[in-house]
Amino acid sequence: SLGIVITMLSVIVLIPLASVLVYSLRISPVEFLGLILKENVRNAFFTSITSSFLAAVINVVFGLIVAWSLVKYEFPGKWLLDALIELPFALPTAVAGITLSKLYSTTGFFGKGLSKIGIHVAYTQTGIVVALVFVGLPFVIRAVQPILEKMDGQYEEAAFMLGASPRMTFFRVILPELKPALLTGFGLAFARGIGEYGSVIYISGNSAKNKTQVVSYVIMQKLSYIDYAGATAIALVMLIISFLLLLFVNVVQVRQSRRTNLL
């Protein structure tokens, strides 16, 4: 079984990632920096990172609210809402991108009303954030929901009996217990957002002038122009960023595991 696991891991993950690293080593440091520091590449990294970060923060807030509602309250259609949370995982991201761009265009259901008050979503960085919120929200909800389900209600009761207000109980008793799960969900949503392609390719507009190009689109653009060196250099930076984010998530999970065992 160990041999099968190592073989599958090598074929599917390690060898493709190693090929990116090996090809990148053929590029001199000067050429590498020159490729990475081009204006359109820098703008794409800035757009992807800032949009993904903002979307992850929004997902943490609303993901906590949704998870709390699903665990703490009973209401009609709860099972359906719980099932629909998985939709961004099952739905092809290109379908999500087309749907969102249609909804938030100036003639769309949401975009028509927003455009009247001067808010434009489609083909702007705001549209990128909306798409990344859509694909990243389930990560936060599914990270927080099990913790809320296992949390002992006696903690809240003890806080109330000691005179704590609902606000103080949430921030001093409940939120510290949820912090590792929230950080995990944030890291996963952030990592997913940086590498997202299908859901943002249509709603972003892909304009270098308006700085709505994301990193994944720039990589595809360079591959279409047969600029393998540029695409590989960007892919290596993306690989490093993704590795650091996943390392952060694993460190949070290990610390939470040790804390749980100590308790």
Side-chain angles (χ1 to χ4, degrees):
S1 60
L2 180 61
I4 295 174
V5 171
I6 294 176
T7 301
M8 293 300 296
L9 184 64
S10 300
V11 173
I12 298 175
V13 180
L14 298 181
I15 293 177
L17 295 182
S19 65
V20 174
L21 181 61
V22 170
Y23 192 89
S24 300
L25 293 177
R26 300 178 182 176
I27 306 173
S28 67
V30 176
E31 292 176 338
F32 182 85
L33 291 175
L35 293 170
I36 295 299
L37 296 179
K38 287 183 178 180
E39 184 178 3
N40 67 317
V41 177
R42 286 189 286 108
N43 291 336
F45 271 112
F46 180 80
T47 299
S48 293
I49 294 174
T50 54
S51 300
S52 300
F53 181 84
L54 181 57
V57 172
I58 295 173
N59 281 329
V60 166
V61 176
F62 288 97
L64 176 58
I65 294 173
V66 173
W68 183 276
S69 300
L70 290 174
V71 174
K72 298 294 184 179
Y73 302 104
E74 294 294 334
F75 51 88
K78 176 181 174 180
W79 64 271
L80 180 60
L81 177 61
D82 194 22
L84 288 176
I85 291 172
E86 308 288 348
L87 185 62
F89 290 150
L91 188 70
T93 55
V95 175
I98 294 172
T99 303
L100 291 173
S101 61
K102 178 62 177 178
L103 286 173
Y104 287 98
S105 66
T106 54
T107 58
F109 183 78
F110 296 129
K112 188 175 182 180
L114 292 173
S115 62
K116 291 181 179 179
I117 58 177
I119 300 176
H120 300 281
V121 178
Y123 316 124
T124 65
Q125 292 187 12
T126 305
I128 298 175
V129 174
V130 170
L132 296 182
V133 168
F134 175 80
V135 300
L137 186 61
F139 289 101
V140 179
I141 297 174
R142 292 312 187 206
V144 174
Q145 193 173 359
I147 308 301
L148 283 173
E149 291 173 347
K150 295 178 181 178
M151 186 176 295
D152 195 341
Q154 293 181 355
Y155 292 132
E156 297 177 58
E157 295 176 4
F160 289 141
M161 292 178 64
L162 292 173
S165 64
R167 179 185 178 89
M168 183 180 294
T169 301
F170 176 78
F171 285 102
R172 299 292 295 274
V173 178
I174 299 175
L175 190 59
E177 293 295 322
L178 297 178
K179 184 178 178 181
L182 289 172
L183 290 175
T184 298
F186 172 84
L188 292 174
F190 190 23
R192 170 65 185 271
I194 290 179
E196 182 60 25
Y197 178 76
S199 63
V200 299
I201 195 65
Y202 298 103
I203 198 171
S204 65
N206 307 312
S207 172
K209 179 180 179 181
N210 297 326
K211 299 180 181 180
T212 59
Q213 290 184 342
V214 294
V215 175
S216 54
Y217 172 79
V218 175
I219 293 176
M220 291 297 298
Q221 189 180 50
K222 289 186 176 297
L223 288 175
S224 64
Y225 293 157
I226 318 182
D227 183 7
Y228 296 122
T232 305
I234 300 172
L236 179 61
V237 177
M238 293 289 293
L239 180 63
I240 294 173
I241 294 174
S242 300
F243 175 79
L244 292 176
L245 287 173
L246 292 178
L247 179 63
F248 165 76
V249 170
N250 280 274
V251 169
V252 171
Q253 291 176 342
V254 170
R255 289 187 176 181
Q256 175 63 8
S257 178
R258 290 177 179 175
R259 179 175 178 273
T260 304
N261 292 334
L262 288 174
L263 294 176

